[in-house]
Amino acid sequence: MAKWGEGDPRWIVEERADATNVNNWHWTERDATNWSSDKLKSLILGLTVESDEGSCEVTEVSKLEGEASINNRKGKLIFFYEWNLKATWTGKSKSGIKYKGTIEVPNLSDENDMEDLDISVSLNKDEPETPLTGLMRTKGAEKIREALGSYVGFLKTEFTQGMILPTANGMAKIQSTSQSKAKLDKTQISSSSSTSAPVNTGVKIPTCKFSMREKFLTSPADLYRVFLHQEMVQAFTHAPATVDGEKGGKFRLLDGNVFGEFTELVPDEKIVMKWRYNNWPCEHYATIAMTFLDRSSETELKVECRGVPDNDEERTKEGWKKYYFEAIKQTFGYGARLF
């Protein structure tokens, strides 16, 4: 057993090694149970919903049983988590009457998609009936689902910092060695002209359209979430990013070399966005449509690009392959396959 973080007993790395396990390449396991327990409580406690009938708040997590861990198998990250959660909600009607009830989530697990979670909301037996129960079963349950989805995102980003990942030239760590490399690569993504101001040509430019397909070993819901959650975008780009994952929301990433706006969102199925490199002619955007296709044990991502300047077709293709597809697989383990 070896400490992962200096002075923090929660960060423990369990190494299962043999004589050939150089740099923990074959197997490294990190226990994420204590960290997960704290993170889940912080995300759920204090959640509130309101309506014309009154307001409700999650005031206590009364039971949180389960475990979580991350395995690095031959350089690929595999996530395991299973939780049984029970919480207390309190409501207050517009007339000032207070109510209390429970929330139960018995199946938060890596084997279940977020939309398959059983979120049971009930009113305590000694409480009179109230419309606030319905509020918690609809808006309240949806907020809880979002919070639990955020937990999974944080588990795959925040907690994985520093775990060994493979690269084309060997192995790298998400946080340390990749930081300097990311800076160099992100400069290259917009070529040598990335620092110059966009050119306003005042005329139409020749453009092209093309499509790409890539398969990821995860569900459509999890892959869809990667593109819309700021923390997850920051994780796979290894840099600060601004992402407003709503229709009409803006995004900016890779040191400002890429930015745009989400124009259409169909949950877990489709994302359409205006997208551009910062050195394209002023106000010129390509249209990127991403379709998430469920292929049983994996998700096929279809990316259709329209309006890409002719002279930037190859750079755009390579940029998407390297800075989206490969980076997402490396960061979240969506390219890993267990045999």
Side-chain angles (χ1 to χ4, degrees), residues 28-266:
T28 303
E29 180 178 289
R30 185 188 294 179
D31 183 359
T33 302
N34 289 338
W35 176 91
S36 293
S37 179
D38 292 341
K39 179 62 71 174
L40 283 165
K41 289 176 182 177
S42 70
L43 289 169
I44 295 170
L45 283 173
L47 283 180
T48 60
V49 288
E50 295 184 7
S51 73
D52 293 339
E53 302 292 340
S55 61
C56 301
E57 179 181 356
V58 179
T59 53
E60 181 187 6
V61 176
S62 53
K63 183 175 78 171
L64 190 55
E65 298 175 345
E67 60 184 351
S69 64
I70 304 173
N71 290 333
N72 178 355
R73 297 181 179 181
K74 295 186 178 180
K76 301 294 186 180
L77 297 183
I78 314 297
F79 301 86
F80 300 95
Y81 55 91
E82 186 171 7
W83 293 98
N84 183 349
L85 181 151
K86 186 174 182 180
T88 299
W89 65 272
T90 57
K92 186 176 181 180
S93 69
K94 290 293 185 180
S95 60
I97 301 174
K98 294 183 178 180
Y99 302 88
K100 184 175 286 189
T102 59
I103 304 160
E104 293 188 71
V105 183
N107 62 336
L108 176 59
S109 165
D110 56 274
E111 296 182 354
N112 297 321
D113 292 334
M114 278 300 135
E115 59 266 29
D116 295 330
L117 284 185
D118 295 326
I119 302 177
S120 173
V121 175
S122 60
L123 186 66
N124 288 354
K125 291 182 179 180
D126 56 345
E127 300 282 352
E129 289 298 321
T130 171
L132 294 180
T133 309
L135 175 64
M136 280 301 296
R137 285 174 177 163
T138 52
K139 292 183 179 179
E142 188 56 37
K143 275 207 169 185
I144 291 165
R145 195 182 306 275
E146 289 176 2
L148 297 178
S150 294
Y151 154 70
V152 175
F154 283 125
L155 177 66
K156 294 179 179 181
T157 55
E158 182 178 303
F159 192 77
T160 57
Q161 293 298 306
M163 292 195 78
I164 300 171
L165 293 175
T167 67
N169 299 318
M171 291 176 291
K173 295 182 180 180
I174 291 177
Q175 190 171 27
S176 58
T177 59
S178 65
Q179 292 294 335
S180 58
K181 181 178 182 295
K183 276 217 174 280
L184 174 62
D185 288 346
K186 287 187 294 252
T187 301
Q188 293 171 346
I189 195 172
S190 55
S191 74
S192 59
S193 62
S194 66
T195 56
S196 52
V199 179
N200 191 344
T201 61
V203 296
K204 290 184 178 180
I205 61 174
T207 63
C208 64
K209 62 180 180 179
F210 57 86
S211 64
M212 298 174 285
R213 291 176 180 264
E214 192 76 15
K215 290 183 178 179
F216 298 80
L217 293 176
T218 188
S219 67
D222 281 347
L223 186 59
Y224 176 89
R225 194 176 297 113
V226 167
F227 292 93
L228 299 181
H229 282 221
Q230 181 167 301
E231 296 85 358
M232 301 183 83
V233 173
Q234 289 179 152
F236 76 76
T237 59
H238 307 297
T242 301
V243 181
D244 180 6
E246 303 286 342
K247 182 178 180 180
K250 313 280 188 183
F251 60 86
R252 180 177 292 270
L253 52 146
L254 294 169
D255 286 342
N257 286 321
V258 169
F259 56 93
E261 178 182 334
F262 298 110
T263 58
E264 181 184 350
L265 298 176
V266 181

